[in-house]
């Protein structure tokens, strides 16, 4: 059976943590930053994990994650 293909766009955006969860970066950090507070921009720099409701669909996009 041939190898399954990973979704390359998803592969660039998500990675697996040591405990097996899926890590992601937060959105809304690229432009229109003047109206966002310093605290909000600082918190957007921190990564976070993918919500449990979306893990199943991501596992389908990234079979070898």
């Amino acid at each position: 059976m041939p190898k399954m293909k990973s979704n390359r766009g998803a592969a660039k955006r998500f990675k697996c943590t040591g405990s097996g969860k899926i890590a992601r970066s937060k959105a809304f950090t690229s432009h229109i930053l003047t109206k966002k507070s310093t605290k909000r921009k600082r918190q957007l720099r921190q990564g976070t994990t993918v919500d449990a409701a979306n893990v199943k669909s991501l596992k389908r996009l990234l079979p070898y994650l």
Side-chain angles (χ1 to χ4, degrees), residues 13 15 17 22-29 38-50:
R13 288 170 170 81
K15 63 181 181 178
T17 63
I22 302 176
R24 68 172 177 88
S25 58
K26 292 183 180 171
F28 309 110
T29 59
T38 307
K39 177 183 177 182
R40 183 175 166 195
K41 287 186 280 190
R42 184 170 61 245
Q43 289 174 339
L44 286 171
R45 285 199 296 264
Q46 305 300 316
T48 186
T49 56
V50 171

